[in-house]
Short mmCIF file of all heavy atoms in Angstrom, two decimals:
data_model
loop_
_atom_site.label_atom_id
_atom_site.label_comp_id
_atom_site.label_asym_id
_atom_site.label_seq_id
_atom_site.Cartn_x
_atom_site.Cartn_y
_atom_site.Cartn_z
N PHE F 69 -63.80 40.78 69.49
CA PHE F 69 -64.46 39.70 70.17
C PHE F 69 -63.46 38.88 70.99
O PHE F 69 -63.72 38.52 72.13
CB PHE F 69 -65.18 38.78 69.15
CG PHE F 69 -65.93 37.66 69.78
CD1 PHE F 69 -67.06 37.88 70.54
CD2 PHE F 69 -65.51 36.35 69.60
CE1 PHE F 69 -67.74 36.83 71.12
CE2 PHE F 69 -66.19 35.30 70.18
CZ PHE F 69 -67.31 35.54 70.93
N LYS F 70 -62.29 38.64 70.43
CA LYS F 70 -61.24 37.91 71.15
C LYS F 70 -60.85 38.66 72.40
O LYS F 70 -60.64 38.09 73.48
CB LYS F 70 -60.01 37.67 70.25
CG LYS F 70 -60.23 36.63 69.20
CD LYS F 70 -58.99 36.46 68.35
CE LYS F 70 -59.25 35.53 67.20
NZ LYS F 70 -58.10 35.43 66.29
N GLY F 78 -60.19 42.03 83.54
CA GLY F 78 -60.84 43.26 83.07
C GLY F 78 -62.32 43.11 82.91
O GLY F 78 -63.05 44.10 83.02
N VAL F 81 -64.72 44.48 85.56
CA VAL F 81 -65.00 45.90 85.71
C VAL F 81 -65.77 46.48 84.53
O VAL F 81 -66.07 47.64 84.52
CB VAL F 81 -63.71 46.70 85.93
CG1 VAL F 81 -63.05 46.30 87.23
CG2 VAL F 81 -62.74 46.54 84.78
N SER F 83 -69.00 47.11 82.52
CA SER F 83 -70.41 47.14 82.81
C SER F 83 -71.19 46.37 81.74
O SER F 83 -70.69 46.14 80.64
CB SER F 83 -70.92 48.58 82.86
OG SER F 83 -70.87 49.17 81.56
N VAL F 87 -70.54 45.77 77.63
CA VAL F 87 -70.55 44.45 76.99
C VAL F 87 -71.57 44.49 75.85
O VAL F 87 -71.31 44.02 74.75
CB VAL F 87 -70.89 43.35 78.01
CG1 VAL F 87 -71.15 42.02 77.28
CG2 VAL F 87 -69.77 43.18 79.01
N LEU F 94 -70.18 44.04 67.13
CA LEU F 94 -69.92 42.81 66.41
C LEU F 94 -71.07 42.46 65.45
O LEU F 94 -70.86 42.01 64.33
CB LEU F 94 -69.66 41.67 67.37
CG LEU F 94 -68.39 41.73 68.21
CD1 LEU F 94 -68.37 40.61 69.24
CD2 LEU F 94 -67.15 41.60 67.30
N GLU F 99 -70.05 40.18 62.27
CA GLU F 99 -69.18 39.15 62.83
C GLU F 99 -69.90 38.28 63.84
O GLU F 99 -69.33 37.31 64.36
CB GLU F 99 -67.95 39.80 63.47
CG GLU F 99 -67.12 40.53 62.46
CD GLU F 99 -65.90 41.17 63.05
OE1 GLU F 99 -65.32 40.59 64.01
OE2 GLU F 99 -65.47 42.23 62.57
N GLU F 110 -75.16 37.66 77.87
CA GLU F 110 -75.42 36.96 79.15
C GLU F 110 -74.22 36.16 79.61
O GLU F 110 -73.88 36.20 80.77
CB GLU F 110 -76.64 36.05 78.99
CG GLU F 110 -77.96 36.82 78.88
CD GLU F 110 -79.15 35.91 78.62
OE1 GLU F 110 -79.01 34.67 78.61
OE2 GLU F 110 -80.26 36.47 78.42
N LEU F 112 -71.05 36.71 78.85
CA LEU F 112 -69.95 37.61 79.26
C LEU F 112 -70.26 38.26 80.61
O LEU F 112 -69.37 38.40 81.46
CB LEU F 112 -69.70 38.67 78.20
CG LEU F 112 -69.09 38.15 76.90
CD1 LEU F 112 -69.06 39.27 75.85
CD2 LEU F 112 -67.70 37.61 77.13
N ALA F 118 -68.91 36.12 87.92
CA ALA F 118 -68.22 35.04 88.56
C ALA F 118 -66.77 35.41 88.91
O ALA F 118 -66.31 35.13 90.00
CB ALA F 118 -68.23 33.80 87.64
N GLU F 119 -66.11 36.07 88.00
CA GLU F 119 -64.73 36.49 88.23
C GLU F 119 -64.68 37.51 89.35
O GLU F 119 -63.77 37.50 90.18
CB GLU F 119 -64.10 37.02 86.97
CG GLU F 119 -63.82 35.93 85.96
CD GLU F 119 -63.26 36.45 84.63
OE1 GLU F 119 -63.12 37.67 84.49
OE2 GLU F 119 -62.98 35.61 83.75
N SER F 121 -66.73 37.76 91.82
CA SER F 121 -66.93 37.03 93.10
C SER F 121 -65.64 36.33 93.52
O SER F 121 -65.29 36.35 94.70
CB SER F 121 -68.07 36.04 92.89
OG SER F 121 -68.23 35.29 94.09
N ILE F 127 -59.35 38.39 97.61
CA ILE F 127 -58.93 39.60 98.33
C ILE F 127 -59.25 39.44 99.82
O ILE F 127 -58.42 39.76 100.69
CB ILE F 127 -59.56 40.87 97.74
CG1 ILE F 127 -58.92 41.13 96.35
CG2 ILE F 127 -59.38 42.07 98.65
CD1 ILE F 127 -59.60 42.27 95.59
N GLU F 129 -59.59 36.70 101.57
CA GLU F 129 -58.66 35.72 102.14
C GLU F 129 -57.29 36.32 102.38
O GLU F 129 -56.66 36.12 103.42
CB GLU F 129 -58.55 34.51 101.24
CG GLU F 129 -59.77 33.64 101.20
CD GLU F 129 -59.73 32.59 100.13
OE1 GLU F 129 -58.67 32.39 99.47
OE2 GLU F 129 -60.76 31.94 99.90
N VAL F 134 -53.14 38.64 106.01
CA VAL F 134 -52.21 39.74 106.39
C VAL F 134 -52.56 40.21 107.81
O VAL F 134 -51.66 40.45 108.63
CB VAL F 134 -52.31 40.90 105.39
CG1 VAL F 134 -51.61 42.15 105.91
CG2 VAL F 134 -51.68 40.47 104.05
N GLU F 137 -51.20 37.73 110.18
CA GLU F 137 -49.73 37.83 110.27
C GLU F 137 -49.30 39.04 111.08
O GLU F 137 -48.26 39.00 111.77
CB GLU F 137 -49.14 37.90 108.86
CG GLU F 137 -49.19 36.60 108.10
CD GLU F 137 -48.74 36.72 106.66
OE1 GLU F 137 -48.36 37.80 106.23
OE2 GLU F 137 -48.80 35.71 105.95
N ASP F 139 -50.92 40.20 113.56
CA ASP F 139 -51.53 40.04 114.90
C ASP F 139 -52.53 41.13 115.20
O ASP F 139 -52.65 41.61 116.33
CB ASP F 139 -50.45 40.00 115.97
CG ASP F 139 -49.64 38.73 115.95
OD1 ASP F 139 -50.25 37.69 115.58
OD2 ASP F 139 -48.45 38.74 116.28
N SER F 144 -64.00 39.58 117.59
CA SER F 144 -64.27 38.73 118.76
C SER F 144 -63.21 38.86 119.83
O SER F 144 -63.50 38.77 121.02
CB SER F 144 -64.43 37.24 118.33
OG SER F 144 -63.23 36.76 117.79
N ILE F 146 -61.58 41.60 120.53
CA ILE F 146 -61.88 42.87 121.19
C ILE F 146 -63.08 42.75 122.13
O ILE F 146 -63.08 43.22 123.27
CB ILE F 146 -62.07 43.99 120.16
CG1 ILE F 146 -60.74 44.27 119.46
CG2 ILE F 146 -62.62 45.25 120.81
CD1 ILE F 146 -60.85 45.16 118.23
N GLN F 151 -65.32 42.32 127.65
CA GLN F 151 -66.01 41.61 128.69
C GLN F 151 -65.09 41.41 129.91
O GLN F 151 -65.54 41.56 131.06
CB GLN F 151 -66.47 40.24 128.18
CG GLN F 151 -67.61 40.32 127.21
CD GLN F 151 -67.97 38.96 126.62
OE1 GLN F 151 -67.25 38.00 126.77
NE2 GLN F 151 -69.13 38.91 125.94
N GLU F 162 -66.64 46.02 143.79
CA GLU F 162 -66.96 45.16 144.94
C GLU F 162 -65.89 45.23 146.01
O GLU F 162 -66.20 45.26 147.19
CB GLU F 162 -67.13 43.72 144.47
CG GLU F 162 -68.40 43.43 143.71
CD GLU F 162 -68.49 41.97 143.23
OE1 GLU F 162 -67.51 41.20 143.43
OE2 GLU F 162 -69.53 41.63 142.67
N LEU F 163 -64.61 45.22 145.61
CA LEU F 163 -63.54 45.22 146.60
C LEU F 163 -63.43 46.58 147.29
O LEU F 163 -63.03 46.63 148.45
CB LEU F 163 -62.20 44.91 145.90
CG LEU F 163 -62.07 43.47 145.42
CD1 LEU F 163 -60.77 43.32 144.59
CD2 LEU F 163 -62.05 42.48 146.58
N ARG F 167 -68.82 53.46 148.99
CA ARG F 167 -68.07 54.73 149.21
C ARG F 167 -68.78 55.56 150.29
O ARG F 167 -69.97 55.71 150.28
CB ARG F 167 -67.97 55.53 147.92
CG ARG F 167 -67.12 54.81 146.90
CD ARG F 167 -66.92 55.69 145.71
NE ARG F 167 -66.19 54.96 144.68
CZ ARG F 167 -65.47 55.52 143.79
NH1 ARG F 167 -65.39 56.81 143.70
NH2 ARG F 167 -64.79 54.79 142.93
N GLN F 168 -67.96 56.12 151.10
CA GLN F 168 -68.53 57.00 152.12
C GLN F 168 -67.99 58.40 151.87
O GLN F 168 -66.82 58.61 151.71
CB GLN F 168 -68.13 56.53 153.52
CG GLN F 168 -68.72 55.17 153.80
CD GLN F 168 -68.36 54.74 155.22
OE1 GLN F 168 -67.83 55.51 156.01
NE2 GLN F 168 -68.64 53.51 155.53
#
Side-chain angles (χ1 to χ4, degrees):
F69 183 68
K70 287 179 186 176
V81 295
S83 69
V87 170
L94 291 172
E99 297 181 33
E110 288 175 5
L112 291 173
E119 289 176 358
S121 177
I127 290 172
E129 290 170 8
V134 168
E137 288 173 1
D139 289 328
S144 63
I146 294 170
Q151 289 175 348
E162 286 178 355
L163 291 173
R167 293 186 184 206
Q168 297 182 9

